[in-house]
Amino acid sequence: MKKLILLLFLSSFLISHSVFSQGSPDYTGGLKVKLNESGSKYFRIISWAQFWARYTDDVPDDDSNIDFSIRRARILMYSQINKDFLILTHFGLNSLNANNLSPVGKGDSSQLFFHGVWGQYNLGANHAIGGGLHYWNGISRLNNQSTLNIMTLDNNRQSWAHIGLSDQFARHIGIYAKGAFGKLQYRVSVNESITNNLQEGTDPIANGSAVYAGRRLLGSKDAGKNFAGYFDYNFLDQESNFLPYKVGSYLGSKKVFNVGAGFFYHPDGSVIANTNGTLEGEDVAIFAVDAFYDAPLGSNGSAITAYATYQNNDYGQNYTLGQTYETGSMVYGHVGYVIPNANKKIKFQPYTSFNLRSIDAIDDNATTFGVGANAYFSGHNSKLTLEYLNIKYGDNDAQSFVTLQAMIYL
């Protein structure tokens, strides 16, 4: 009897939504367990892991230039028992390495945590509302990026513009609405801002720079909520917005050209201190415009992926934190090319990326240049990525990294 139940359970895995099957000849939608004969009641599980080997050129004399880490290890599950509502749960860990491993696996970095937990109610075929710890973000496509199918080794860090400042790892607790009016897709949200963020314990000094501590120092009445939205028009093939995760590269399996715009607004999100030490709130306002193009080039298996964005960041007066978040502006772009290989399963995609940021606090710029290549053995489901990255911040010496990533997701 147990063997029969197990056999029936395994046989129920079948093709699901194609949102996660970019360019793979094997995956065809992944693993979906149907709970009735029609498949209208189901749950789906997705699991992925990314392993890094990285060479860093400038390290202390007693440190190794090469280190290994688990960049991401995640499990995501969503389920519907009818078309009217959905629940999604996403958990895992990030950036586990020798310096944050613990002897028996009980340290903070070794622990799984919820990346997202939300419920959603559909309002007809094209619109939905939901709430929870969600990823329906504003600002840009890259602030809604899926980590399953990034074209570059990793996401452009400054595009995840509020990680740890107003949210928990790019997810807010709040309510959202999403949907489409014809070819125009939208996502908007109202969210709680976290109290204990990356600047916990840091207070502004008189006539100094802003500190992102509005909720902690001014209270939740004036500085507790933030507002976000992103809107993109799909000129060619319509992208799925069933889930919030934006695709990095379709490898020519679709023909997509989208133009988008978005924002993030946190009233009194940052705090400054005047000459007398009196605290004053400063609004955090970030907006961006972007464009994304992904299409096959002829019939020989080649394809192009291109993305560009302009982002304006106002975190408050001369704000800067960790050479990552700054009041200023940013221009970022990347382009990749799938080499013709129509008769073979393996695909190769060289790419390059560039990030230029203006930084008010130092009255200078920062640049990031990357060049790399993906080797796809089964689309994004099994791939190797090798990337060289060079980062220059103001007058500081440039730092270079060479990283090899192995990724599998099922």
Side-chain angles (χ1 to χ4, degrees):
M1 185 64 180
K2 289 183 179 179
K3 291 183 178 179
L4 177 60
I5 293 173
L6 178 61
L7 179 62
L8 291 172
F9 180 83
L10 293 175
S11 67
S12 67
F13 284 86
L14 47 81
I15 292 174
S16 179
H17 301 276
S18 62
V19 64
F20 286 109
S21 60
Q22 299 81 27
S24 172
D26 303 318
Y27 195 62
T28 59
L31 302 177
K32 175 183 175 183
V33 181
K34 67 177 185 178
L35 304 176
N36 60 2
E37 290 187 3
S38 68
S40 61
K41 299 180 181 182
Y42 69 90
F43 68 86
R44 181 179 174 190
I45 299 174
I46 303 168
S47 176
W48 68 103
Q50 298 166 341
F51 176 77
W52 279 15
R54 165 168 277 190
Y55 173 88
T56 305
D57 68 339
D58 186 14
V59 298
D61 291 339
D62 58 348
D63 282 358
S64 172
N65 293 96
I66 299 175
D67 61 85
F68 305 128
S69 65
I70 295 175
R71 178 64 183 93
R72 294 180 181 90
R74 308 276 190 84
I75 295 175
L76 184 149
M77 182 180 78
Y78 59 90
S79 177
Q80 288 184 296
I81 61 171
N82 65 45
K83 64 181 181 180
D84 295 326
F85 55 89
L86 170 148
I87 186 170
L88 182 145
T89 303
H90 177 191
F91 60 91
L93 55 76
N94 306 281
S95 301
L96 189 65
N97 56 59
N99 291 326
N100 58 31
L101 283 167
S102 59
V104 292
K106 294 184 177 182
D108 291 342
S109 296
S110 302
Q111 300 306 303
L112 303 179
F113 70 93
F114 280 115
H115 288 68
V117 181
W118 69 81
Q120 176 178 291
Y121 299 87
N122 294 330
L123 306 175
N126 298 319
H127 307 279
I129 59 173
L133 181 64
H134 70 87
Y135 192 65
W136 294 94
N137 293 325
I139 304 179
S140 73
R141 183 183 188 91
L142 292 191
N143 199 38
N144 295 275
Q145 170 73 59
S146 167
T147 59
L148 293 174
N149 45 51
I150 299 173
M151 188 194 72
T152 54
L153 177 78
D154 213 328
N155 200 30
N156 178 53
R157 180 61 185 85
Q158 286 71 38
S159 293
W160 273 320
H162 42 62
I163 284 184
L165 296 178
S166 67
D167 64 36
Q168 175 176 278
F169 217 79
R171 283 83 175 172
H172 288 105
I173 288 182
I175 57 175
Y176 67 87
K178 64 99 175 181
F181 296 98
K183 292 187 175 183
L184 177 66
Q185 294 187 358
Y186 71 90
R187 55 186 71 193
V188 292
S189 61
V190 180
N191 308 298
E192 296 282 358
S193 299
I194 65 174
T195 302
N196 302 313
N197 65 4
L198 290 174
Q199 295 203 283
E200 180 182 5
T202 301
D203 295 338
I205 60 175
N207 296 322
S209 301
V211 175
Y212 206 128
R215 183 178 180 120
R216 174 169 60 86
L217 297 178
L218 303 177
S220 61
K221 181 178 180 180
D222 293 329
K225 299 293 189 295
N226 64 73
F227 309 88
Y230 180 68
F231 311 85
D232 59 331
Y233 191 85
N234 294 222
F235 287 93
L236 301 176
D237 290 350
Q238 190 83 2
E239 289 193 280
S240 172
N241 69 343
F242 179 76
L243 297 179
Y245 313 108
K246 289 291 189 180
V247 170
S249 176
Y250 286 101
L251 307 181
S253 63
K254 294 173 72 72
K255 191 172 185 179
V256 176
F257 176 52
N258 292 357
V259 174
F263 70 92
F264 172 80
Y265 179 61
H266 184 182
D268 291 332
S270 288
V271 181
I272 59 172
N274 62 24
T275 304
N276 299 323
T278 302
L279 300 182
E280 298 177 0
E282 292 211 327
D283 296 346
V284 174
I286 304 171
F287 71 86
V289 293
D290 60 6
F292 174 72
Y293 182 70
D294 192 299
L297 299 175
S299 58
N300 62 0
S302 63
I304 187 171
T305 298
Y307 177 79
T309 185
Y310 168 80
Q311 182 173 303
N312 185 274
N313 305 311
D314 186 354
Y315 293 99
Q317 177 178 290
N318 289 327
Y319 185 86
T320 181
L321 178 65
Q323 299 186 9
T324 301
Y325 308 102
E326 307 99 0
T327 291
S329 62
M330 176 185 73
V331 176
Y332 170 82
H334 62 232
V335 60
Y337 174 70
V338 177
I339 297 173
N341 197 10
N343 299 319
K344 295 182 180 180
K345 183 176 179 180
I346 299 175
K347 296 178 182 291
F348 296 97
Q349 182 189 48
Y351 65 82
T352 186
S353 63
F354 183 72
N355 178 337
L356 172 63
R357 292 178 280 151
S358 69
I359 304 163
D360 289 359
I362 62 174
D363 193 26
D364 205 343
N365 296 328
T367 59
T368 303
F369 170 74
V371 59
N374 294 305
Y376 299 96
F377 304 104
S378 181
H380 288 283
N381 300 97
S382 176
K383 72 176 182 181
L384 292 177
T385 302
L386 181 65
E387 182 182 271
Y388 166 81
L389 196 68
N390 180 275
I391 301 173
K392 180 75 165 62
Y393 191 91
D395 292 333
N396 295 343
D397 292 337
Q399 189 168 25
S400 297
F401 306 89
V402 177
T403 307
L404 176 65
Q405 173 182 270
M407 173 179 168
I408 293 177
Y409 89 79
L410 302 176

